[in-house]
């Protein structure tokens, strides 16, 4: 019998292994295509996740803001200054501001040596907690003066944050400037509302009165039904 050369034998083995290689590649491609969402999620940069997270957590305040600012809510029944913005402006403004906050925080986190334990990140965490506390305080509990104190604390912490951000990344600092401007405006607005709707020694003000009155009317309607 003729003797086969080693080269011929090796090539023949490669040809036999080809279907196995192709089937393995096909199976791997099918597994990848079966989970496109997972693959796409991995390609989203951290800065985008930070922006999304800030927007979603900031939107949690809508639970108390929406009932207060809707037609017939207590917010429209109290004495408001003539320069108060329309209610429809708040959602797009805050969505944009929260996205900018998230981008700035992610950039500084990446550049800071201490990560989450660095001074800019620690101060930002404190500031952001105050930010999230304002809506439940003002719209949820109608504690107008405490909400004003939170506004002052927000500005007091935001100014050094912008300075620290600027030292690491000037763009991150610039992204917070619109937020500073809006918070300053909100502080003046909160102060004007406090002045027009003073709080008595027992903690009652027009906002609380209107909120309680609306609730009494709802309870009476439910009882009558």
């Amino acid at each position: 019998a003729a003797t086969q050369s080693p080269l011929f034998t090796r090539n023949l083995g490669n040809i036999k292994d080809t279907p196995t290689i192709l089937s393995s590649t096909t199976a791997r491609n099918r597994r990848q295509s079966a989970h496109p969402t997972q693959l796409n999620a991995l390609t989203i940069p951290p800065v985008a996740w930070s922006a999304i997270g800030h927007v979603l957590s900031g939107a949690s305040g809508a639970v108390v803001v929406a009932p207060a600012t809707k037609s017939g809510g207590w917010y429209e029944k109290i004495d408001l200054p003539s320069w108060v913005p329309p209610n429809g402006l708040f959602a797009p403004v805050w969505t944009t501001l929260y996205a900018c906050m998230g981008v700035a925080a992610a950039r500084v986190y990446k550049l800071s040596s201490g990560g989450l334990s660095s001074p800019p990140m620690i101060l930002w965490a404190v500031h952001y907690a105050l930010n999230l506390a304002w809506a439940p305080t003002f719209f949820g509990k109608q504690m107008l003066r405490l909400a004003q104190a939170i506004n002052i604390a927000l500005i007091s912490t935001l100014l050094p944050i912008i300075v620290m951000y600027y030292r690491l990344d000037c763009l991150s600092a610039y992204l917070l400037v619109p937020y500073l401007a809006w918070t300053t405006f909100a502080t003046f607005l909160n102060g004007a509302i406090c002045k027009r709707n003073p709080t008595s020694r027992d903690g009652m003000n027009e906002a609380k009165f209107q909120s309680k009155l609306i609730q009494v009317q709802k309870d009476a309607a439910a009882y009558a039904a």
Side-chain angles (χ1 to χ4, degrees):
T3 303
Q4 295 178 346
S5 68
L7 178 60
F8 176 80
T9 303
R10 184 167 59 252
N11 290 338
L12 183 59
N14 291 340
I15 294 174
K16 292 180 179 180
D17 291 340
T18 299
T20 303
I21 296 173
L22 291 176
S23 61
S24 176
T25 303
T26 303
R28 184 170 61 252
N29 291 337
R30 286 177 178 175
R31 288 195 300 269
Q32 291 178 351
S33 61
H35 305 284
T37 303
Q38 296 178 3
L39 294 176
N40 292 336
L42 296 176
T43 62
I44 298 178
V47 67
W49 282 119
S50 179
I52 294 172
H54 277 72
V55 170
L56 292 179
S57 57
S60 63
V63 176
V64 292
V65 175
T69 57
K70 69 178 181 180
S71 180
W74 67 260
Y75 184 69
E76 69 174 19
K77 296 179 181 297
I78 65 175
D79 188 7
L80 297 172
S82 59
W83 43 275
V84 64
N87 294 337
L89 183 64
F90 289 99
V93 167
W94 276 114
T95 299
T96 303
L97 293 178
Y98 278 126
C100 291
M101 294 179 209
V103 172
R107 291 174 63 91
V108 170
Y109 167 77
K110 183 178 180 180
L111 295 173
S112 59
S113 57
L116 292 177
S117 61
S118 63
M121 290 291 94
I122 293 176
L123 187 55
W124 177 251
V126 173
H127 174 89
Y128 195 62
L130 289 171
N131 176 287
L132 297 180
W134 184 87
T137 303
F138 185 91
F139 288 106
K141 297 297 184 181
Q142 300 87 43
M143 302 174 71
L144 307 183
R145 293 187 300 183
L146 180 57
Q148 179 67 348
I150 293 176
N151 273 328
I152 295 173
L154 285 172
I155 294 178
S156 300
T157 53
L158 184 57
L159 289 173
I161 286 173
I162 292 177
V163 173
M164 287 188 288
Y165 275 24
Y166 186 82
R167 291 172 180 172
L168 293 172
D169 179 47
C170 60
L171 177 59
S172 297
Y174 294 150
L175 286 172
L176 294 184
V177 172
Y179 172 47
L180 174 61
W182 182 262
T183 304
T184 303
F185 170 77
T187 302
F188 281 105
L189 178 59
N190 197 155
I193 293 175
C194 286
K195 196 171 184 178
R196 290 168 173 265
N197 304 271
T199 301
S200 60
R201 291 184 178 181
D202 61 355
M204 183 59 67
N205 54 47
E206 185 65 17
K208 285 187 176 182
F209 174 78
Q210 292 295 339
S211 178
K212 292 180 181 296
L213 180 60
I214 292 173
Q215 186 59 48
V216 169
Q217 292 172 343
K218 288 182 179 180
D219 294 341
Y223 178 78

